[in-house]
Amino acid sequence: MLTIAQVYPELLGTYGDGGNGLVLAERARRRDVEVRLVTSRFGEPLVDADIYLLGGGEDGPQRLAVSLLREASFRARIDDGATVFAVCAGLQLLGTSFSVEGDDEFAGLGVVDAVTRRGARRAVGDFVTVVGDTIMVGFENHGGMTNRGDGVAPFGAVQRGRGNGDGHDGFRANRVWATYAHGPVLALNPWLADDLLCELLGWKSVEPLASVADRLYNERLRVLTRRGNRSPHRPGRG
Ligand code: GLN
């Protein structure tokens, strides 16, 4: 049984990132995996899960979410083997600190060595990133810029938009995947949902699905990059 938890959608759900859970669960079910998609609501104990999905949020809810996650010993869950897929505010709160409007600095969960500071202006708009050798599409909307510590790998290389502000997007550290891309990004990039499933289930690769989402990914890519049609799946990945 694969348990997928959406964490505090009331706080970290401003941009429809809850859709990431639906996509992950549905793509697993279509591969005959037994799935439980659960929601950890604000005020309730954090559920046990194989993967936690953290979405984006405004500054105030983001600060509340970090204190609730600290109380819930979220970091220990990751140390115990849980995977995390985090978007934007979710990304920022996993770092050591982040500053919000007004430049006040807050302690993050310290799961990853990364510091987020305010940029001179908000980054808002289409967002295109190369992850491995595959193009990820989405949009971004954030005021923070993130510096990764030495040895922390980025999630991807930015082609369009700002991401961390240094030409890279997010970070990838052990079982933590974190990006600035909203979308919901797994609905826009089904191949990324499949990569996560491979990681979670120990699969080397997975057969692609002939879904509407997969077809739309190709169309979106053509518009955003004007590169022509490109397979959403890497060579040799089925
Ligand atoms: N509040 C954070 C920022 O503005 C994150 C925003 C978001 O999650 N979209 O940087």
Side-chain angles (χ1 to χ4, degrees):
M1 170 74 76
L2 179 71
T3 304
I4 302 168
Q6 323 215 54
V7 181
Y8 309 143
E10 310 89 335
L11 305 174
L12 302 173
T14 319
Y15 304 92
D17 295 323
N20 289 332
L22 296 173
V23 171
L24 206 55
E26 180 57 23
R27 292 184 82 86
R29 284 191 189 112
R30 289 196 196 186
R31 271 68 173 248
D32 298 321
V33 176
E34 250 190 280
V35 182
R36 213 162 59 99
L37 177 61
V38 292
T39 302
S40 265
R41 298 204 175 273
F42 168 39
E44 294 173 1
L46 192 65
V47 293
D48 285 329
D50 299 298
I51 178 165
Y52 292 94
L53 305 175
L54 304 177
E58 287 136 10
D59 291 351
Q62 177 177 344
R63 274 160 31 210
L64 181 53
V66 80
S67 55
L68 293 171
L69 288 168
R70 191 173 292 118
E71 279 167 30
S73 305
F74 187 61
R75 195 179 166 162
R77 314 253 177 155
I78 304 169
D79 292 342
D80 288 348
T83 297
V84 179
F85 182 73
V87 171
C88 205
L91 171 166
Q92 295 176 357
L93 61 78
L94 290 170
T96 44
S97 68
F98 58 90
S99 46
V100 295
E101 213 77 62
D103 286 337
D104 291 332
E105 196 175 291
F106 293 87
L109 295 176
V111 172
V112 176
D113 180 13
V115 172
T116 297
R117 298 194 176 80
R118 301 306 287 185
R121 54 176 180 82
R122 276 192 93 72
V124 183
D126 287 328
F127 188 52
V128 181
T129 303
V130 181
V131 178
D133 55 8
T134 309
I135 293 180
M136 180 178 81
V137 296
F139 66 88
E140 61 180 343
N141 183 356
H142 55 105
M145 297 171 68
T146 301
N147 288 330
R148 288 168 291 115
D150 288 344
V152 178
F155 189 73
V158 174
Q159 276 204 340
R160 179 165 166 179
R162 185 169 82 189
N164 294 350
D166 61 355
H168 291 103
D169 170 44
F171 44 74
R172 177 125 180 221
N174 297 323
R175 285 175 300 275
V176 175
W177 301 30
T179 173
Y180 268 107
H182 294 286
V185 65
L186 297 186
L188 295 180
N189 301 272
W191 60 269
L192 186 56
D194 289 351
D195 276 8
L196 264 175
L197 288 179
C198 286
E199 163 105 352
L200 285 163
L201 299 163
W203 296 342
K204 271 207 165 103
S205 66
V206 67
E207 286 296 313
L209 293 174
S211 77
V212 173
D214 292 76
R215 183 169 54 71
L216 288 177
Y217 165 76
N218 274 322
E219 289 182 16
R220 218 172 280 117
L221 193 60
R222 199 166 51 239
V223 172
L224 281 171
T225 65
R226 303 192 196 289
R227 278 187 167 198
N229 206 353
R230 175 183 162 135
S231 165
H233 295 277
R234 297 169 201 144
R237 291 188 60 83

